[in-house]
Amino acid sequence: MHEALIGLIPIPLAVVSIVFVIHRMKTLHFSNSFKTYEIYKELWDLCGSDATKNLAKMRMLFKVLAPINLKVKEMEWFIYTDGAMHYIKQYSRLNKFVSIDFNQNRFCFSSEYDTARKRAIVGIKFLLLYVISGIIGVTLILSIDIYYEGRLSPIAGLHFTGYLLVIFSTLMLYMIVLFQLSHYLVKEEVTLKQCNSL
C-alpha cells in the first residue's frame, strides 16, 4: 500500500515541474520582448530623420538585437518599416542569401541567388556536398581501424579524415537549412509604417 502511494509521488512532481518550466519560458519570452521593444524605441529616438547622426550608438543597439553590421539605409529600413524588426535575427543569419529591396519594401534574394536557376544550382551543390562528404566520411570511419596489431595504423589518418568529412557534411546540412529558411523570409510581407513617432 505504501509502495503504491510512494510510486504516485513522481506524477504530481512532474506536473509541477512542467508547469514551472512553462511559466519560466513565458516569463523569459515576455522579458525578451520587452527588452526588444525598449531597444526599438531607443533606436527610433536615436535615428530621427537621419541615422548617421548617432551611428555608433545605433550600431551597438543593433548588435544587441542581432550579430550583424547593417548599412545606414538598412538600419533606417528596420526602424521605420512596420514589422521589420521582428525579422532582424533571421536577416542576420540569412543575409548571405537575402537582401532588402528598398523600392518594394520587402526581402529579396541577393544578386547571386536572384533567379530560380541560380538557386537550384546552389541548392544542388549543397545537397551533393552533404551526401558525398557524409557517405565518404562514414565509410572511412567504419572501415578503417585506428589500431592495427596493437600499434597505430599507418592509415589511421584516414579514419580521422572521416570525422572531418562528417563534420563538413553537418555544416552542409546547416547551409541547406539556412538556404531553405531564406526562401521563407523572402515570402514574408512587410508593410511601411506611415506614422512619424511611436
Side-chain angles (χ1 to χ4, degrees), residues 124-134 165 168-169 172:
I124 290 170
K125 283 181 185 177
F126 285 146
L127 186 62
L128 286 175
L129 286 171
Y130 165 68
V131 170
I132 292 170
S133 60
L165 284 172
F168 179 75
S169 176
M172 287 300 103

Side-chain angles (χ1 to χ4, degrees), residues 73-91:
K73 193 169 184 178
E74 290 174 327
M75 285 186 211
E76 290 175 343
W77 187 82
F78 274 106
I79 292 170
Y80 292 123
T81 303
D82 188 29
M85 194 63 77
H86 296 291
Y87 301 104
I88 191 156
K89 287 184 182 178
Q90 287 177 295
Y91 182 72

Side-chain angles (χ1 to χ4, degrees), residues 71-78 81 91 99-106 108:
K71 298 174 188 143
V72 174
K73 193 169 184 178
E74 290 174 327
M75 285 186 211
E76 290 175 343
W77 187 82
F78 274 106
T81 303
Y91 182 72
S99 61
I100 300 170
D101 184 352
F102 298 106
N103 296 329
Q104 294 184 5
N105 205 31
R106 65 180 186 89
C108 63

